[in-house]
Amino acid sequence: MQKAITLFSINILILLLSCNQEVNVDLPSYNGKIVVDGWIEQDGYAKVLLTKSAPYFGKLDSIALRELVLTRAKVSVSDGETTEVLTLHPNPDYFPPLLYSGYQLKGEIGKTYQLTIEYARQKITAETSIPIPPKVEKIWFETDPKEPEKGMIWASISNDPAQTNYYRIFTQTIGLEQKYFPIAFPNYSDQSFNGQNRNIPLYPGTSNTMSSHPKENYSLEDTVLIKICTMDRMAFEYWEDFQQEMINSKNPFATSNTTLNSNIQGDALGIWCGYGAHYSRITTTRQSEN
Amino acid sequence: MKNYLNIIKYSLFLLLFNFFHCNAQNIFQLSGTVKDSQTGSSLPGAHILINKTKGTTTNSKGEFHIQLPAGEIKVQVSFMGYHPYQKEITLERKVELTVDLHPISLEQEEIVVKARRDNHNISSAETGFQRLKASEIEQLPTFLGSPDPIKALQYTPGIQSVGEGNAGIYVRGGTPGQNLILLDQMPLHNPSHLLGIYSVFNSLSIQNLNLIKGGIPAQYGGKLSSVIEVNTPASSENRVSFAGNIGTLSSAGVIKGKTQNERGFFLLSARRTHLDLIKSLLIEPLSKNSSRFFRETNYHFNDIYAKYSYCIGTKDRITAQYFFSSDHYKYCKEPLSNKMNWDNWAGALIWTHQTSSNFSYKSILSYTSHCMDMTSFFEDYEFLLGSRLHTLNHKLEFLLNTANHQMRYGWELVYNNTVPEKVKTIMPDINYQDQDELNSAEANLYFNDEMNLLPKLKLNAGFRLHRILHVGPYKQFAEDETGKRLETKSYSKYKIVKGYNFFEPRISFSYQLRPNQSIKASYTENNQNFHLAEVGSVSLPTDIWTSSTEDLPPEKARQFTLGYYHNFANNNFETSTEIYYKKLTNQIELKESVVLKMEKEIFEDQFYMGEGRAYGFEFFIKKKTGRFTGWLGYSLSKSQKRIPEINQGKYYNTKYDRRHDLSLTLNYNHNSKWSYSAAFVYATGNTMTLPVGRYIIQGNIVNDYGKINAFRMPAYHRLDLSAKYQVVKKKQFESFWTFALYNVYGRSNPYFIYFSAKGDLDNYKLDVKAKQISLFPILPSISWNFKF
């Protein structure tokens, strides 16, 4: 549905873009804020990427981008009993390619995790929890009647009717991608299907929204890793806002002007997110089902 | 000698006696013709009253004859829909009268109840009042060949000139949903075409346009910011007449006339775009980049208005009205297709009864609806977004005129059915549909008295008792701590969910300092059941209309206006200077955007609620007669909002906050063939919220936004020119060409500014550019107009 509306809005925009020109805009001076992109899932260690935000029109080449990376912060994670200080090490799969990671404290289902970041006399905190992972009933592949060599992967999830569950879904195509990427419309809450099974099409995602056009289907013989996660409400609201922002920031027919709804406390941006993850794998054949 | 004198006295006595005696016995004929002062057409069925004791009516030719004894007589002539006429004459021979009655015209009755004098703007107690006549609207430069009455209104102070692509009417810091728009007393909800670029009013059928933005009298209610009355003619000079306009964007026609017995009047107007026909000729050469778009796009709009009124006897008139406008937009490029349709329709039945020359009443039963449907198909996916707004309204108003009072009182009953959002999604394996529906009822009792307290002091005072009821069917929900939606209470049909009561005082006065100078002041309170939440940065048919509920209480406005009015040069120049302060409460703002979440939320949770304030200074000068006519309007204003969840609960400027807003219109009648006009608009740029910083999350660039609406777009300014060439001007036939240039110096006025990020973080390259979208470059247009 979102896709349809987005396409409609873009369609109207084409009319407008015929009189499109570049302009100079004077923006007020800007002091960079700490940006947190951190997560923890069950049986996994905490991982945190730390950067600073940049002025909107600042020059962003390789040097400037590297300068945005925070390498001298003290990052610690606590489950209320144990506290671990994360260590920084390189990881080329991420941007920035320097990741704060834990080695002792593993995520556990139902536990709450406190993140503390200390940098240049500034202290930032955030809290998240790891919900029960989703119950994935089945995953299957359906070929496209118009393009028999391609198709869509589907996942069916059931949920606990006693509470509202929030989901975020990632995929990774082996041989094409080095890590998991969120699918095209990755966030769901079960408000509309509470207590029922829900079949979700896993539109392939992209590494970032600046990529040209995302592929719309999977090819036959793709091996795809699928990660379906549950998360808490704060995390869901952040990712929903994030999604809206990605779609709406260029659309005059939409409202896009608010800072994302974050769980980070202090003068900082970003998200600290706990995932209850369910992993599966599928190789797309004409009759494949996991 | 004495006898001689006695004879003379006696003779004189006899003479005088005979004279008076003969006079008392003499019967003379009083005859006459009663005509419409504007059109000159005769008025059959007019009521003639002599000394309040004897009377007659005019025949089918508008003539009357009555035999009366000689002497001083008082003649009163009254006719439905006209100002009464009164004259004292001495009847000493046969007398013929020609009585020109000035039409009240039922449609303009609200405002033009008094015969307008040249200094009406000085003497009346109205504040914040503007009237535009059809001739003034016609003279203004046109946009794509057709004059637009609402665009003309935006040239006056206090109405923000919001620029292209937005027919939203923003009056003194109010939103487009806060204007009571009446077409011949029928309310309309969303009167715009072409994504808001055009209004639905066909200028050919319009007689005049009235705007009240200051002291709104008590007979109007339900909207906070203004009353806009669009009036069409109520009588016709000719048996049948036709006027038409063939323009570059659309063509329009209107036919009007009277029935054979001259008791009935009819009007039918229609308009349709032929953009689909001329796009390849005009638009494609101007916008080369968009040629493909126009091949794949189809768009047209049309509107139709019909009314018929009939006089039954001398005291009653029945009028039936029907209005319909629709827009159809279609974009089709495999595998995507989009359709968007929106329409307005309204109907009314008006009965007016003139009990006596100073007492009348009218009953208006009207129904109006606004519907919008947007459908998108993409391969196996279908998405539908729609909204509905239906209103049934009955108004009964009594009008009593005495020497120093003009009283209006009555009731207004309203029932509203609203579907703010209707969503349907069909995807493989998913079939989701949902709609919210709200019902509400309103009851109003009102009283208004326009008084002449002293020769120089006029007072217009009244009140409105306003009750708003939210009625079932309705389900109340609440969220638990996990965000789960729980139904807490269910209401059956017509069961009252929540009721609100309001007392709305309305008062305004004028004090005439000199015959050509006055000061005026007004204070009004209004409450509004409906909220309009604007989805994007421009006013669109997709905007959400919702009636009040317990969590969305009705909107309220309090406004104070103070003004000084001065006419010069024998009323040829009119000036007005006004200051105002307006306080608004229970204003809503949409949290999310047009991209709706499929996950169902509690309807009312989609909105923020806060308050607003607007204050400003307005100046207006108008030259009314001569070869050069025109006006200059200037507003200095501020409009702000405060919402607890936004901007840390502090006041911020609204989207259409304009510090300066200037409009200049000039018309020059060169000779009987050529006339020229020009319009210039300058306005401070719209406010916007812009990103001040950016950051990276999961490889994506995310904006860090600055303070809300802290940035201003470049100023908006534009000059339009037009020339009119009169080919023929005869009583039977008139024809003229209009040549217009819109945006003469090709100003790229900003419609929207956005930022485009290109690059690849993996390769450490990123390029961000600010881009501005402008709608219309210089646009020439030509239209042929004719009347016969």
Side-chain angles (χ1 to χ4, degrees), chain B residues 306-525:
Chain B
K307 83 167 173 180
Y308 180 76
S309 67
Y310 193 81
C311 292
I312 305 165
T314 57
K315 295 184 171 178
D316 297 275
R317 182 182 281 197
I318 302 270
T319 307
Q321 300 168 182
Y322 172 80
F323 172 80
F324 178 74
S325 80
S326 69
D327 282 58
H328 304 274
Y329 165 83
K330 193 175 177 188
Y331 175 81
C332 190
K333 189 197 170 199
E334 283 295 331
L336 170 74
S337 90
N338 280 320
K339 278 197 287 187
M340 190 166 171
N341 300 322
W342 67 99
D343 58 59
N344 281 291
W345 91 260
L349 210 55
I350 303 172
W351 169 46
T352 311
H353 178 81
Q354 185 99 33
T355 307
S356 64
S357 61
N358 59 2
F359 183 73
S360 65
Y361 56 84
K362 65 179 174 187
S363 164
I364 306 166
L365 180 67
S366 67
Y367 172 80
T368 181
S369 86
H370 169 66
C371 299
M372 190 282 293
D373 282 305
M374 189 179 94
T375 322
S376 290
F377 297 94
F378 184 76
E379 293 178 340
D380 300 332
Y381 305 92
E382 182 186 344
F383 169 73
L384 188 145
L385 177 71
S387 66
R388 303 275 181 277
L389 179 53
H390 308 281
T391 299
L392 182 66
N393 186 309
H394 179 251
K395 186 173 179 176
L396 181 68
E397 182 172 290
F398 299 90
L399 173 62
L400 176 65
N401 279 311
T402 64
N404 289 315
H405 294 267
Q406 188 180 78
M407 281 176 260
R408 286 170 190 273
Y409 50 94
W411 73 60
E412 194 169 356
L413 305 169
V414 188
Y415 186 80
N416 305 295
N417 170 266
T418 320
V419 178
E421 280 177 331
K422 186 172 126 186
V423 180
K424 187 178 167 190
T425 310
I426 298 171
M427 291 187 195
D429 209 45
I430 296 173
N431 191 340
Y432 171 81
Q433 59 180 354
D434 187 61
Q435 70 174 48
D436 295 292
E437 186 172 340
L438 294 168
N439 294 284
S440 63
E442 292 175 66
N444 299 271
L445 277 175
Y446 64 87
F447 176 84
N448 197 78
D449 189 5
E450 209 176 322
M451 296 165 258
N452 296 322
L453 287 183
L454 295 166
K456 290 180 176 178
L457 183 66
K458 276 193 179 169
L459 181 68
N460 194 342
F463 64 87
R464 205 171 165 95
L465 298 173
H466 191 176
R467 179 158 169 78
I468 297 172
L469 297 170
H470 173 206
V471 294
Y474 182 68
K475 285 179 180 172
Q476 271 178 336
F477 293 94
E479 274 187 1
D480 66 10
E481 67 278 2
T482 68
K484 192 170 177 228
R485 202 164 71 124
L486 304 167
E487 187 179 319
T488 54
K489 205 169 179 183
S490 179
Y491 295 86
S492 58
K493 203 170 183 183
Y494 302 126
K495 179 129 188 175
I496 296 173
V497 182
K498 177 74 184 169
Y500 298 93
N501 293 317
F502 302 103
F503 173 75
E504 301 172 359
R506 316 276 177 93
I507 186 162
S508 60
F509 79 86
S510 72
Y511 184 76
Q512 207 162 335
L513 302 167
R514 289 184 187 166
N516 64 340
Q517 285 175 39
S518 65
I519 51 165
K520 301 182 194 180
S522 69
Y523 174 77
T524 57
E525 283 188 20

Side-chain angles (χ1 to χ4, degrees), chain A residues 219-239:
Chain A
S219 302
L220 275 174
E221 304 305 324
D222 274 352
T223 298
V224 182
L225 305 178
I226 295 158
K227 180 170 139 182
I228 302 177
C229 302
T230 50
M231 56 191 166
D232 64 17
R233 191 178 183 180
M234 280 302 289
F236 174 75
E237 284 179 359
Y238 178 84
W239 289 120

Side-chain angles (χ1 to χ4, degrees), chain B residues 557-572:
Chain B
R558 296 181 179 91
Q559 190 184 187
F560 178 74
T561 306
L562 183 67
Y564 171 71
Y565 308 79
H566 198 155
N567 289 2
F568 300 93
N570 201 20
N571 295 314
N572 190 13

Side-chain angles (χ1 to χ4, degrees), chain A residues 1 5 11 19 21-23 30 37 54 56 58 164 166 189 191 194 199 208-209 233 245 248 252-253 255, chain B residues 329 338 383 427 429 479 482-484 535 537 540 593 599 692 694 698-700 704-705 755 769-770 772 774:
Chain A
M1 182 189 73
I5 285 220
N11 174 20
C19 311
Q21 63 183 52
E22 281 179 28
V23 286
Y30 179 78
D37 182 3
Y56 202 83
T164 307
Y166 303 98
S189 90
Q191 284 280 17
N194 197 17
N199 296 339
N208 64 67
T209 53
R233 191 178 183 180
E245 168 64 23
N248 291 337
F253 297 101
T255 309
Chain B
Y329 165 83
N338 280 320
F383 169 73
M427 291 187 195
D429 209 45
E479 274 187 1
T482 68
K484 192 170 177 228
V535 167
S537 46
L540 283 177
S593 65
E599 284 64 40
V692 287
R694 54 192 161 151
Q698 296 202 342
N700 287 290
D704 183 17
Y705 288 96
F755 296 91
K769 283 180 179 161
Q772 171 185 301
S774 305

